[in-house]
Amino acid sequence: MTQPTMSHTPEDVSILPRNINFNLEQALATDWHGGDPFRTAFYNSLSIMFPLGEQQFIDSVKHYRDRITDPVLSENVRGFTAQESVHRREHQKYNEALCASRGYSLEKLEAPLRRRIALAQKHIPSIALLAATVAYEHWTAILADAVLRRPETFDGATPEMTRLWRWHAIEESEHKAVAFDVYRAVGGSEYLRRRLMLVVTVHFFLDAFRHMRLMLRNHKGSRVKLWIGGLRFLMSRQSPLHGLWRPWRDFFRRDFHPWDHDNRTVVATVLRALDLGVAAVE
Ligand SMILES: [Fe+2]
Ligand SMILES: [Fe+2]
């Protein structure tokens, strides 16, 4: 008898990387999001997390590769790894160009996250590292959905930057259940999954605000005004954080699965408009 698959990604969603190179140098030298330093720093601060963070996501999932017997889930793990590898590459280029043109120290920006990952790999069980990846992948999935569903989040941004963020958001949506399905397949507990979401959420905001603080410290003009306006933006409809409380909270449901938030229609619509080319097996 055929075993039921452990993968709960819908059959019509393919997880294949689009090997795209973005040209971002010019935009990154400026406040590319509508000339607004705070909005620009917000997205730039997320980008700083990706090369180190996404490598850790790949490692934590790959650790369990040999325990996955389901061929569909194995294939999805390959797709997940390939997509995250291209994301890492493009965001590494992004971060290097950003730091070179704006005078930021990439080493200083990355240092605490680099240290935390090294400590976690040494002291935390592999299943907890995977639970952290599951939680981060939920964060990226709900942020991606917000960016795709509400085009106004990129009103005023330069076209190539908009294209990069939407490309990343599409692929985060496509592979949003892979780490989750691996976690379930290898017997990860509900308790650990929820607990790690709380830890990850605190770190996510601490990292983002630290990066923004460093990026905005040489701002000419009133920094108090800048931060007040910025915090207002984060609560506005143009913010990708707007309306995320409910989808974030859903993660704590016992029967939750990332595809309960079915965004295939919006992904397909944005994909058609972006014309990114065909995803390919590497
Ligand atoms: Fe990614
Ligand atoms: Fe991801």
Side-chain angles (χ1 to χ4, degrees), residues 6-8 60-62 64-65 67-68 73 77 125-135 137 176-197 251 254 256-258:
M6 301 298 290
S7 168
H8 296 285
S60 67
V61 170
K62 268 188 162 175
Y64 287 97
R65 203 171 31 181
R67 290 197 27 204
I68 303 162
L73 187 52
V77 167
S126 304
I127 195 66
L129 295 175
L130 183 59
T133 296
V134 171
E137 283 287 285
K176 64 181 171 180
V178 177
F180 189 98
D181 288 341
V182 170
Y183 183 75
R184 284 247 163 108
V186 299
S189 78
E190 290 295 284
Y191 172 74
L192 191 61
R193 176 172 74 82
R194 292 169 183 171
R195 220 175 119 174
L196 262 296
M197 175 51 105
F251 188 83
R254 186 161 279 279
F256 173 76
H257 186 271

Side-chain angles (χ1 to χ4, degrees), residues 41-53:
F42 175 74
Y43 285 95
N44 288 347
S45 82
L46 299 184
S47 180
I48 295 295
M49 299 177 199
F50 290 141
L52 291 174

